[in-house]
Amino acid sequence: MTDPDLSDLGALVAVAQARSFRAAASLRGVSASSLSEAIRRLEARIGVRLLNRTTRSVTPTEAGTQLLERLMPALGEITGALDALNSFRDSPTGTLRLNVPIIVAQRILPPITSRFLLAYPGITLEVSASDTFIDVLAAGFDAGIRYDESIERDMIAIPVGPRTQRFILAAAPSYLAVNGTPQHPRDLLDHACIRHRFASGVIPNWEFERNGKVVKITPKGRVIASTAEMGIGAAVAGLGVVCTFEEYLSEALQSGQLVPVMEPWWQEFTGPRLYYPSRTHMPAPLRAFVDFIKSPEERTLART
């Protein structure tokens, strides 16, 4: 039996962690077929099936599980050893993999990462945008960005981007001219509300707070959008009241296509946070990113 190629072993770990050739390929920036070929080549060299494949899932066999238990710590040591070499360079190198919410990927992260990549030309950035909660480390990411309520307490979390954000409500002037302007959350029960459905299938209620009083409503309406753009488009067309991140609505408000509704009830909340495990040997690209967003210059920009 010839010795397996290290890259083939890395492919096995990636596919096993992602439980999918397509997801692993997206994370590694390669094709799913190349990963499939790497696994076939590895199994042929070892002479043992390592992964069970179906049309719906990919799971390690008993032999694959046993190999992965010994292989993953060893590959981690190799990665750590290579990361340690970054201290001998003027600037760290490597790939930083982040999993972030869609709003962060679209409206918050781009200017931050642009400045970061200009400061660190040796680092490659991979960003996966999803509103679905996952175990980012098990999925092969170095870190994630989420909001406070969805961050595990055993993680280190630091602010990234704006320190506060708001959910705001808006509607088209044409809609309000016909249906009137709601003043209280209860008024929304008599209005067409443009709702949002997450990838998980959940359609959240709308929650408001003012002077310590919390009001929750179950909005009703004919439009259920899966993206912010779809919901805003429906609102601009005069189909109802939309409630979403202020960053999404700012352009439509500035142009007059939408007008603010129920401003005293707009919800303010803590901005997003970068989170990662408390570990001694942090990958050099992640350490560089953490140091970068904690720098006085970035903290100043975050507040503006």
Side-chain angles (χ1 to χ4, degrees):
M1 179 185 71
T2 59
D3 292 335
D5 188 275
L6 188 60
S7 63
D8 290 349
L9 293 172
L12 172 66
V13 172
V15 173
Q17 287 180 326
R19 291 293 195 268
S20 163
F21 281 93
R22 180 172 298 179
S26 176
L27 288 174
R28 292 171 68 88
V30 299
S31 66
S33 60
S34 67
L35 287 182
S36 181
E37 176 58 32
I39 301 303
R40 282 197 295 268
R41 186 166 55 241
L42 180 60
E43 290 176 332
R45 286 178 177 175
I46 295 176
V48 175
R49 174 174 285 275
L50 300 172
L51 296 176
N52 288 318
R53 308 161 178 83
T54 70
T55 56
R56 294 189 176 184
S57 66
V58 178
T59 57
T61 63
E62 183 178 356
T65 299
Q66 189 176 68
L67 176 61
L68 286 164
E69 287 175 352
R70 302 188 65 178
L71 184 61
M72 292 174 68
L75 288 178
E77 287 294 322
I78 293 173
T79 300
L82 293 174
D83 279 334
L85 296 178
N86 276 302
S87 61
F88 293 96
R89 301 188 180 96
D90 293 333
S91 179
T93 64
T95 300
L96 174 62
R97 298 177 176 87
L98 301 177
N99 180 273
V100 308
I102 294 172
I103 176 67
V104 172
Q106 292 180 338
R107 300 302 175 98
I108 294 174
L109 209 52
I112 298 172
T113 54
S114 294
R115 294 190 293 268
F116 172 69
L117 292 173
L118 287 172
Y120 293 93
I123 292 178
T124 298
L125 178 66
E126 292 184 17
V127 177
S128 175
S130 171
D131 289 329
T132 301
F133 300 131
I134 65 170
D135 184 337
V136 295
L137 301 180
F141 297 98
D142 298 299
I145 296 178
R146 282 294 182 268
Y147 292 88
D148 278 343
E149 68 275 7
S150 58
I151 298 177
E152 296 293 338
R153 296 309 169 194
D154 60 348
M155 293 285 178
I156 297 174
I158 58 174
V160 56
R163 298 309 186 250
T164 60
Q165 291 179 263
R166 292 192 298 182
F167 283 128
I168 68 175
L169 290 90
S174 59
Y175 173 85
L176 298 176
V178 173
N179 298 280
T181 301
Q183 303 295 327
H184 188 278
R186 287 191 297 268
D187 297 340
L188 292 170
L189 297 175
D190 297 321
H191 281 265
C193 296
I194 299 168
R195 295 171 287 171
H196 179 80
R197 185 193 299 275
F198 287 104
S200 64
V202 173
I203 301 176
N205 291 331
W206 290 3
E207 181 175 314
F208 305 90
E209 183 177 359
R210 185 181 180 191
N211 299 326
K213 182 180 180 181
V214 177
V215 179
K216 295 182 181 181
I217 69 164
T218 301
K220 298 178 181 179
R222 293 186 297 139
V223 178
I224 301 175
S226 60
T227 67
E229 291 79 9
M230 185 186 302
I232 294 169
V236 169
L239 296 178
V241 180
V242 66
C243 177
T244 188
F245 288 93
E246 184 174 12
E247 289 84 356
Y248 281 140
L249 291 173
S250 57
E251 294 177 9
L253 290 172
Q254 290 172 6
S255 68
Q257 291 178 298
L258 298 177
V259 295
V261 172
M262 289 173 44
E263 288 187 65
W265 289 92
W266 287 1
Q267 290 293 91
E268 186 172 279
F269 53 93
T270 303
R273 301 170 77 84
L274 175 79
Y275 69 97
Y276 53 94
S278 177
R279 57 187 181 191
T280 304
H281 300 295
M282 188 187 300
L286 176 58
R287 183 177 297 279
F289 189 61
V290 169
D291 291 342
F292 178 80
I293 64 175
K294 290 171 68 175
S295 67
E297 296 83 1
E298 283 301 308
R299 290 202 301 269
T300 300
L301 288 170
R303 296 189 183 97
T304 58

